[in-house]
Amino acid sequence: MRVLVIGSGGREHALCRSLKLDPQVVELHCAPGNPGIEEIATVHAVTPTDPGQVAGLATRLGADLVVVGPEAPLVAGVADAVRAAGIACFGPSRDAAMIEGSKAFAKDVMAAAGVPTARARVCVTEEEAAAALDEFGAPYVVKDDGLAAGKGVVVTGDREVALEHARACERVVIEEFLDGPEVSLFALCDGGTAVALQPAQDFKRAYDGDEGPNTGGMGAYTPLPWAPEELTEQVMREVVHPTIGELARRGLPYQGVLYVGLALTAKGPKVVEFNARFGDPEAQVLLDRLETPLAGLLAACATGTLGEQAPPAFRPGSAVIVVVAAENYPEAPVKGDVIEGLEPTEHAYVIHAGTRRVDGEVLSDGGRVLGVVGTGPDQESARRHAYELVSRIELRGSFHRTDIARTDTARTDTARTDTARPDAPRTDIARTDIAR
Ligand code: AMP
Ligand code: GLY
């Protein structure tokens, strides 16, 4: 199989690593790629959000399969263009990717499919927004309807801050606050059939103890030893199957990965968000544990033959990723500094996320610069291996969280309730759009 991966982040580096290990893959290409990817795949310069350029490259390469990593190319219609060129593509169509591209669309699909999620109102005017805020009460959750594009999600105890965010957006979704530990579950879909990967957890806030601004994700681990055994089956039954069924009914068969972001509330798992792609950095740890050859699995999604495949199998043991972020991430990450100490150890390795190569040196070139994956027979050893390698990395001004995947302070406390409000309004503001 000749495979072309689209994207340039940590998720795409992890995808390329796994694809490279699949004996079915005879040629691996990536566009635009990054210095880590360059070591294992042939990279090509394209604008990843340009459907014509991507389809043209895939045709020239004689690709058998195109795997689209990030959401922006999907929402731009890259998968549609690739399929129109007669090439199998892992990634939903532009219209199906609206499950991530529009929060209002996602809510509408969930309502029609009876999927458990926060009650929500779509608001355009300030009066509508004010009424919705008062209906649901604090803490307030206000989401820009479109792809984050500089605004994103605000979670705050301050009604004025919530209203200000609503005013700054053309259209917002205001919803009730969901209380409980968050879990990411990814389902591979071929348009009709869906199969689950293992649950993972990511750490969205910038600093230890879940403090500071929201980020694209500062670390992740899988599996979740504390998660209820029936969780995956329940989410497939209550969320994934009804959602892809509803999309198919609307003429939008979903081919690719459906990312289900969940809050495990006292009333059961509820959807916080859908994404139309693998989570980053959750994909890095999941793909590390995935035993089933990846290209075959993704090709089955792209060709509607997932039902003929054995379900994805995972190696025993644990994987933990710790993100090394640039100085001033997420606000205004500092770029262009030399990075050293990238060599793998016996049980840990470096994933490139925001780097570029200049004259043989690897320089920082993004907010989340690297992800360090540690593996081991259990979470504690995987975590130790990851942090040992993190300590060898030299990048001026960089920082990382020191509490990723800790087992003693795990964020696994059973949910209090999803309706009662904390006595004091929370004043923290979560911005989720920043520097994905
Ligand atoms: P989203 O962009 O929808 O994924 O939201 C980003 C983050 O904001 C989530 O991972 C949650 O931490 C938080 N969040 C979003 N919606 C809610 C909600 N209804 N209740 C509580 N927290 C939320
Ligand atoms: N790690 C969260 C995301 O990929 O959206």
Side-chain angles (χ1 to χ4, degrees):
M1 224 190 292
R2 280 198 193 96
V3 183
L4 169 63
V5 175
I6 301 302
S8 61
R11 165 185 46 217
E12 289 74 33
H13 189 184
L15 284 165
C16 285
R17 278 181 63 104
S18 293
L19 289 165
K20 187 78 180 172
L21 292 174
D22 186 334
Q24 273 199 79
V25 176
V26 294
E27 266 181 46
L28 182 59
H29 299 268
C30 184
N34 69 34
I37 294 172
E38 261 166 41
E39 291 172 11
I40 50 177
T42 309
V43 299
H44 305 267
V46 298
T47 305
T49 50
D50 184 324
Q53 275 190 37
V54 173
L57 174 65
T59 303
R60 278 199 306 285
L61 294 173
D64 302 298
L65 174 68
V66 174
V67 178
V68 183
E71 64 276 20
L74 294 168
V75 170
V78 162
D80 308 71
V82 170
R83 281 194 273 270
I87 299 168
C89 185
F90 179 84
S93 66
R94 188 188 59 183
D95 291 346
M98 290 313 280
I99 201 81
E100 172 167 3
S102 164
K103 307 260 185 206
F105 175 73
K107 284 289 180 191
D108 189 59
V109 169
M110 283 189 269
V115 168
T117 185
R119 288 178 300 131
R121 298 270 174 270
V122 180
C123 308
V124 176
T125 67
E126 186 172 338
E127 289 69 36
E128 287 168 353
L133 292 175
D134 294 336
E135 177 184 354
F136 298 129
Y140 304 104
V141 182
V142 183
K143 304 185 174 188
D144 188 359
D145 179 44
L147 266 194
K151 298 197 188 85
V153 177
V154 166
V155 181
T156 176
D158 186 331
R159 189 174 178 282
E160 191 43 44
V161 171
L163 207 50
E164 197 181 302
H165 184 55
R167 265 187 231 116
C169 303
E170 217 167 283
R171 201 156 95 121
V172 291
V173 173
I174 292 180
E175 63 182 40
E176 67 179 325
F177 180 81
L178 296 178
D179 202 1
E182 286 186 44
V183 170
S184 308
L185 187 72
F186 304 154
L188 300 178
C189 309
D190 75 350
T193 303
V195 297
L197 302 183
Q198 278 182 346
Q201 192 174 47
D202 84 340
F203 293 72
K204 290 204 163 84
R205 299 293 184 117
Y207 313 130
D208 283 10
D210 292 333
E211 299 283 341
N214 253 355
T215 71
M218 294 297 292
Y221 66 101
T222 191
L224 310 179
W226 53 270
E229 211 177 307
E230 69 286 0
L231 178 66
T232 299
E233 211 183 284
Q234 185 182 6
V235 174
M236 291 304 283
R237 191 177 60 241
E238 294 179 1
V239 177
V240 174
H241 289 129
T243 300
I244 61 168
E246 175 61 23
L247 287 171
R249 258 190 299 284
R250 295 180 184 206
L252 304 172
Y254 194 93
Q255 285 183 310
V257 57
L258 181 66
Y259 171 133
V260 186
L262 298 156
L264 307 189
T265 75
K267 290 188 179 169
K270 294 194 178 191
V271 175
V272 172
E273 64 166 337
F274 282 131
N275 292 316
R277 42 143 184 109
F278 284 107
D280 183 343
E282 298 100 309
Q284 287 84 316
V285 284
L286 281 164
L287 294 174
D288 182 280
R289 303 323 291 156
L290 182 69
E291 201 165 44
T292 310
L294 184 63
L297 213 45
L298 302 187
C301 293
T303 55
T305 55
L306 198 51
E308 299 163 21
Q309 300 272 319
F314 287 84
R315 273 189 290 280
S318 173
V320 171
I321 183 166
V322 178
V323 168
V324 176
E327 181 178 11
N328 249 333
Y329 175 74
E331 284 78 19
V334 175
K335 300 180 184 175
D337 285 301
V338 177
I339 310 166
E340 289 188 276
L342 295 168
E343 296 71 33
T345 57
E346 194 182 352
H347 299 294
Y349 55 89
V350 173
I351 293 281
H352 288 243
T355 66
R356 72 193 163 99
R357 197 183 297 274
V358 178
D359 298 333
E361 284 192 311
V362 177
L363 305 185
S364 59
D365 194 38
R368 294 189 293 172
V369 181
L370 306 167
V372 177
V373 178
T375 62
D378 51 49
Q379 193 174 319
E380 201 45 56
S381 61
R383 166 171 208 280
R384 195 175 62 247
H385 293 141
Y387 276 108
E388 274 165 12
L389 181 48
V390 167
S391 72
R392 297 177 189 215
I393 288 171
E394 290 174 42
L395 169 60
R396 198 196 53 77
S398 66
F399 73 97
H400 60 268
R401 279 183 63 158
T402 66
D403 61 350
I404 302 299
R406 263 174 76 161
T407 48
D408 52 341
T409 56
R411 299 172 308 164
T412 58
D413 49 324
T414 39
R416 292 192 294 275
T417 161
D418 68 337
T419 49
R421 311 286 163 211
D423 294 338
R426 295 183 2 162
T427 51
D428 52 326
I429 301 173
R431 309 208 62 138
T432 62
D433 52 311
I434 307 168
R436 281 263 154 116

